Amino acid sequence: MTYYQKWISFYTIVRKDVLRMFRIWAQTFLPSVVTSALYFLVFGAFLGSKIGEVQGVPYVMFVVPGLVMLAVITNAYANTSFVMFSAKFFGRNIDEILVSPTPPWVLVSGYVAGGVIRGVLIGLIVLSVSLFFTHLTIHSLFVVVAFLVLTSIVFALAGLVNGVYAKSIDGINIVPTFVLTPLVYLGGVFYSADALPGIWGTITKFDPVFYVINGFRYGFLGTSDVPLLLSFGVLAAFALVFFGIAWYLIRTGLGLRQ
Amino acid sequence: MTDLALEINNLEKTYAGGTRALNGVSLAVPQGDFFALLGPNGAGKTTLIGIVTGLVNSTAGTVSVFGIDAARSPEQSRATIGLVPQEVNVNPFEKPLDILVNQAGYYGISRAVAVPRAKQILKDLGLHDKGGMPSSQLSGGMKRRLMIARGIIHEPKLLILDEPTAGVDVELRRSMWDYLTGLTKKGVTIILTTHYLEEAEQLAKHVAIINKGDIVEQGTMEEVLAKHPSTPLGAGDEGKYRGGKLEEVFLKLTQNPT
Ligand SMILES: Nc1ncnc2c1ncn2[C@@H]1O[C@H](COP(=O)(O)OP(=O)(O)OP(=O)(O)O)[C@@H](O)[C@H]1O
Ligand SMILES: [Mg+2]
């Protein structure tokens, strides 16, 4: 295939996914609007006034970046894991791509691009919802956008790996429930990791979501528990590793070919 | 340059569960051939096709498609092949026209080229009025024809059909054969499996019979029929259904000795 032909194949995969997510918008976009509005209501209006300020800003402003990332992570992950899983099990139309000359890296990139589009759109939607509850200051637009995209890439890749491996619908629900959710909650959505006592503060440092939230929060508030470059580096490393795994799985056909 | 569309040498396949599906199969299909791959249920036909098209990993042996090593240059080799699988694997939510245009996309064919081509093929296969409804609303025979359309949308030089006529009515079967022989006249090589042996006897130039993972006979249709002359009617066989000549040869070669 020429590069132009690869581009067409990539575009085909992405276009199909984007049309799908808009067709079923009530399942793909609406849930995050509802849950995040509830979070903002609880933490902003009800609890926020009791908690007061964290790192020099009202509590609701402090949690917005974390809650946005919670939605971004779950949606980017759900998109690729579900799309890959259903292409494998509902009629096995993943074979349509597997018999074609589309190389594995184009397939991975196409699926991930779909997850990134969903993640970034969700991020923007939840940010817009937050404006009903607080005002936002943006310290660095570049950092905000970079973390939105990088986080979507990392978790779309992780979701893709999960989707390739999953042998049943439980296989794509277990990881989000037992791995992703704890990572997100312990990663500092609701608090600054500085506030965590002893061992917990150390454990948090091994949680990729910790870097996601700190980097993203820095983009808004200009404050972070760790240096910005470290957060960038950690996420970029995760993206590379997951891309490698996804590429290898599809290249060798583990989980896809008999 | 080779004059073979497909050359298989000592192909072996043992599935993960331990099932031995192919025991060192060798086959040669000349360019422009109409080749019938016949064998009872479970003989290994779909497995062989899966390996050639990249859906199943082989255990040992080589496959070369128009002289291209399918293991070393999978993308190049796949670009020349079209597959019509045995199991229906069209996405039930997608519309036939979209399925065809997306499939063309995976081969690097732009929408501008693919859309008119897809419409023409749908028309040729009698599906022109079905292009816009979800494929779940097609009948079984229509889904088969849609899969044929999908297999030829990128104008492959080698078309492999795994039981394309299962569940297709007599009239459509005839028009399907006319369509496929029309393709061979344009230089397309066709490999097909079928359990309708009269069809194979009439249409195929070459034939291979596979049983329990071994090729038990191969050659031109005339050679194979001549090699195994009809057995005379035995006592009590009068009035029993006997089928065509090929059917007799097939049974003789694949039936377990009783
Ligand atoms: N995914 C799989 N995992 C394990 N064994 C398999 C798998 N697919 C096929 N087999 C086994 O391999 C053997 C050959 O199967 P295959 O599907 O190639 O037969 P076939 O000739 O296409 O039969 P049919 O005419 O029924 O379609 C059978 O014993 C089958 O049980
Ligand atoms: Mg079969």
Side-chain angles (χ1 to χ4, degrees):
Chain A
M1 285 184 122
T2 62
Y3 277 97
Y4 178 59
Q5 289 175 317
K6 286 177 183 136
W7 162 254
I8 291 176
S9 182
F10 171 82
Y11 174 76
T12 304
I13 297 169
V14 179
R15 181 179 186 276
K16 183 175 160 181
D17 192 18
V18 170
L19 289 176
R20 180 199 65 91
M21 73 181 82
F22 278 101
R23 194 174 54 234
I24 53 166
W25 60 274
Q27 291 166 51
T28 44
F29 293 114
L30 198 56
S32 292
V33 173
V34 176
T35 47
S36 57
L38 287 171
Y39 273 127
F40 293 139
L41 197 65
V42 170
F43 292 108
F46 304 151
L47 284 175
S49 54
K50 306 248 176 342
I51 294 174
E53 292 201 341
V54 177
Q55 293 184 353
V57 294
Y59 185 60
V60 64
M61 269 177 90
F62 178 80
V63 287
V64 164
L67 289 174
V68 171
M69 276 305 172
L70 171 65
V72 170
I73 288 171
T74 27
N75 278 277
Y77 194 95
N79 204 71
T80 44
S81 62
F82 179 76
V83 170
M84 174 48 86
F85 174 80
S86 47
K88 262 171 62 184
F89 281 92
F90 303 147
R92 247 212 102 73
N93 55 78
I94 185 68
D95 287 356
E96 291 176 341
I97 306 182
L98 294 182
V99 300
S100 82
T102 299
W105 67 267
V106 172
L107 193 162
V108 173
S109 310
Y111 269 71
V112 168
V116 169
I117 289 172
R118 165 114 165 245
V120 169
L121 286 177
I122 285 282
L124 297 177
I125 291 171
V126 175
L127 272 176
S128 320
V129 172
S130 77
L131 292 176
F132 288 95
F133 300 89
T134 177
H135 69 276
L136 286 176
T137 57
I138 291 187
H139 179 76
S140 162
L141 187 62
F142 172 76
V143 173
V144 168
V145 173
F147 272 82
L148 204 51
V149 173
L150 197 53
T151 304
S152 301
I153 292 176
V154 169
F155 288 91
L157 278 164
L160 182 62
V161 170
N162 188 183
V164 170
Y165 256 120
K167 301 221 163 18
S168 68
I169 191 88
D170 292 333
I172 55 167
N173 290 329
I174 285 173
V175 180
T177 311
F178 293 103
V179 181
L180 220 48
T181 310
L183 284 182
V184 170
Y185 281 82
L186 296 175
V189 177
F190 298 109
Y191 49 80
S192 159
D194 281 346
L196 281 179
I199 180 83
W200 288 104
T202 314
I203 290 176
T204 302
K205 302 265 164 29
F206 290 96
D207 179 353
V209 180
F210 171 74
Y211 300 94
V212 165
I213 292 175
N214 269 282
F216 197 52
R217 194 172 275 150
Y218 178 88
F220 290 97
L221 306 177
T223 58
S224 173
D225 295 336
V226 284
L228 187 66
L229 271 181
L230 178 64
S231 296
F232 254 123
V234 169
L235 287 190
F238 268 102
L240 280 177
V241 169
F242 279 127
F243 190 93
I245 297 174
W247 178 84
Y248 178 79
L249 287 177
I250 287 166
R251 170 91 216 170
T252 56
L254 285 176
L256 285 184
R257 299 195 176 101
Q258 268 93 36
Chain B
M1 210 32 224
T2 158
D3 54 356
L4 293 179
L6 175 67
E7 189 177 8
I8 292 176
N9 278 309
N10 301 315
L11 198 63
E12 294 176 27
K13 174 65 185 178
T14 309
Y15 279 103
T19 309
R20 183 90 171 146
L22 298 173
N23 305 312
V25 164
S26 298
L27 266 189
V29 180
Q31 280 191 36
D33 202 2
F34 201 125
F35 188 98
L37 177 64
L38 308 175
N41 290 138
K45 304 180 295 295
T46 301
T47 302
L48 188 150
I49 290 171
I51 294 173
V52 171
T53 51
L55 296 177
V56 176
N57 290 329
S58 67
T59 311
T62 59
V63 173
S64 106
V65 184
F66 298 102
I68 303 160
D69 186 321
R72 222 171 291 155
S73 318
E75 278 121 42
Q76 245 182 303
S77 121
R78 280 178 214 153
T80 63
I81 306 178
L83 171 67
V84 181
Q86 178 174 8
E87 303 290 340
V88 173
N89 72 337
V90 290
N91 183 338
F93 305 109
E94 257 186 298
K95 296 168 183 155
L97 188 63
D98 294 334
I99 289 176
L100 298 188
V101 173
N102 286 341
Q103 189 67 22
Y106 304 144
Y107 288 83
I109 299 164
S110 71
R111 296 181 62 79
V113 176
V115 172
R117 193 190 284 178
K119 286 186 174 154
Q120 182 61 46
I121 293 177
L122 286 174
K123 201 165 146 213
D124 291 345
L125 288 167
L127 293 170
H128 49 287
D129 53 340
K130 309 286 178 191
M133 60 171 62
S135 69
S136 56
Q137 292 175 20
L138 300 183
S139 77
M142 291 172 189
K143 282 181 197 146
R144 289 244 161 248
R145 278 179 280 154
L146 173 58
M147 294 205 298
I148 293 183
R150 190 182 60 185
I152 59 179
I153 187 75
H154 59 291
E155 300 181 337
K157 291 200 288 173
L158 170 61
L159 179 61
I160 305 182
L161 306 111
D162 200 350
E163 291 189 39
T165 47
V168 177
D169 70 41
V170 180
E171 191 188 340
L172 279 172
R173 223 151 67 207
R174 292 197 168 187
S175 68
M176 207 185 255
W177 292 131
D178 287 343
Y179 190 72
L180 293 176
T181 41
L183 287 179
T184 58
K185 291 208 180 83
K186 287 186 213 154
V188 177
T189 308
I190 291 186
I191 299 178
L192 121 130
T193 79
T194 177
H195 292 291
Y196 297 103
L197 298 178
E198 330 81 75
E199 293 180 345
E201 186 171 341
Q202 266 200 32
L203 295 161
K205 270 194 261 179
H206 284 85
V207 59
I209 299 178
I210 181 169
N211 189 32
K212 296 187 182 131
D214 287 304
I215 300 280
V216 289
E217 189 61 87
Q218 75 173 303
T220 65
M221 190 59 78
E222 291 80 38
E223 278 167 11
V224 169
L225 292 177
K227 207 164 149 190
H228 301 274
S230 272
T231 39
L233 286 180
D237 278 352
E238 300 85 6
K240 244 190 177 175
Y241 175 75
R242 281 171 65 92
K245 276 198 81 183
L246 182 62
E247 193 166 313
E248 257 186 80
V249 175
F250 179 90
L251 283 175
K252 185 173 144 197
L253 292 169
T254 60
Q255 246 173 355
N256 294 321
T258 41

